[in-house]
Amino acid sequence: MADETPLIPDQRRELLIKLLRGHAVLSVHQLTEMLGVSHMTVRRDIATLERQGRAVSVPGGVRIAGQLHEEPSFIDKSTMDQPAKLAIAERAAGLLNDNTTVYLDAGTTCQALVPHLVRHQGMTVVTNDFTTANALMGNPDIEVIHSGGRIEHANRSAVGRLAALTLGQLALDVAFVSTSSWDLTHGVTTPSAAKVEVKQAAMRSASRSVLLAGSVKYGTFGMYRVADLTGFDTLITDAGLPPSVRTALHERGVETSFAKAGTDEERAPKP
């Protein structure tokens, strides 16, 4: 660095964030040269910024935490990070019991729970997701309740006040809630205002709320806030979450379960 006076840690971290705004992603090696400090110092700074929800570590480097302006479509989401989604669904399936009422939020991670549901007796599934409802349509052993409401075409789900009102009239044993963006600072957020009251209504109606959130979505945030991470009884994510974030979740008191992703064949439910 041109300035011979060493920066104090807070100044250095602000400079790191400024550098990330210009490059989006930087390696640890690049940052050591740009900041004129050791690898260990850079890694400590990255860990601090992660705890603050301002940056996210990636293999060998770091990226800036970014705002999500719109959610990916159903088609885009259905091809993303499948091993992690299957692993999260398998871990979540351990919370299922016979003769219970569960809510499956819209999204491909919650949809991955469907094959596990058919292994239980006396299940009632409540959902705002049309793909989930359609997948269960041919199974007469599972009672299915769709929330209804305004259709969001891109995500094949129902959103808005009508869907929330339906969920408010039900007593759920467990609500599995999905998210497109989450971090420690903002909690669970969404760029869609119409999704907020649906997710919140499901959480209020459930005896237990479980957040299913992939690690690739960590460090992004939307305009509308759903809940703090501590508002969920359990968070289930995959093993890709950085160690510094794991530590921060523990310190914040967020009960977290980490699922290890394997191949699609390894994670598929056994008949």
Side-chain angles (χ1 to χ4, degrees):
M1 292 180 59
D3 190 348
E4 296 181 359
T5 304
L7 298 175
I8 64 173
D10 283 347
Q11 291 175 320
R12 189 176 61 247
R13 289 165 196 148
E14 290 303 319
L15 178 57
L16 194 158
I17 289 294
K18 183 177 179 181
L19 291 169
L20 284 176
R21 289 197 183 104
H23 295 82
V25 179
L26 288 169
S27 70
V28 172
H29 178 70
Q30 288 174 309
L31 287 168
T32 59
E33 294 185 342
M34 291 176 170
L35 298 173
V37 294
S38 69
H39 278 66
M40 187 62 71
T41 298
V42 169
R43 292 188 185 281
R44 281 199 299 265
D45 285 346
I46 291 172
T48 298
L49 291 169
E50 277 192 313
R51 286 194 297 271
Q52 296 171 349
R54 304 178 68 194
V56 182
S57 63
V58 298
V62 63
R63 65 174 171 83
I64 195 165
Q67 184 168 1
L68 187 68
H69 295 286
E70 64 178 22
E71 294 190 5
S73 69
F74 170 82
I75 294 175
D76 289 337
K77 289 191 289 188
S78 64
T79 60
M80 293 168 53
D81 207 32
Q82 284 301 307
K85 291 176 182 178
L86 291 172
I88 290 170
E90 182 178 352
R91 184 62 60 90
L95 302 176
L96 296 173
N97 295 298
D98 292 346
N99 304 307
T100 55
T101 300
V102 302
Y103 172 75
L104 291 188
D105 201 9
T108 51
T109 304
C110 286
Q111 287 166 18
L113 261 172
V114 170
H116 298 277
L117 292 167
V118 300
R119 300 159 63 189
H120 290 272
Q121 310 240 339
M123 299 291 290
T124 297
V125 177
V126 182
T127 186
N128 67 327
D129 190 279
F130 289 101
T131 301
T132 295
N134 185 63
L136 294 169
M137 195 76 71
N139 193 320
D141 296 325
I142 296 180
E143 183 173 353
V144 182
I145 299 173
H146 196 280
S147 66
R150 178 170 65 82
I151 295 176
E152 187 175 78
H153 296 274
N155 284 291
R156 303 182 185 180
S157 63
V159 296
R161 185 64 176 159
L162 288 176
L165 286 171
T166 298
L167 295 174
Q169 298 300 309
L170 301 173
L172 309 169
D173 292 302
V174 57
F176 293 102
V177 179
S178 64
T179 183
S180 59
S181 50
W182 66 290
D183 64 22
L184 278 162
T185 301
H186 304 90
V188 173
T189 55
T190 173
S192 171
K195 290 187 175 184
V196 173
E197 57 184 336
V198 178
K199 293 178 188 291
Q200 290 178 342
M203 293 173 67
R204 285 193 300 269
S205 295
S207 298
R208 185 176 191 183
S209 296
V210 180
L211 176 65
L212 307 184
S215 65
V216 295
K217 300 173 184 176
Y218 183 83
T220 57
F221 59 93
M223 181 180 293
Y224 303 100
R225 190 170 184 274
V226 176
D228 190 82
L229 296 182
T230 56
F232 295 87
D233 296 284
T234 305
L235 158 66
I236 301 178
T237 186
D238 58 88
L241 205 65
S244 59
V245 178
R246 296 188 186 205
T247 300
L249 288 169
H250 176 73
E251 292 173 347
R252 190 72 64 85
V254 180
E255 181 181 314
T256 309
S257 180
F258 298 96
K260 183 178 180 180
T263 64
D264 288 3
E265 291 79 7
E266 289 172 338
R267 292 294 164 187
K270 304 298 184 291

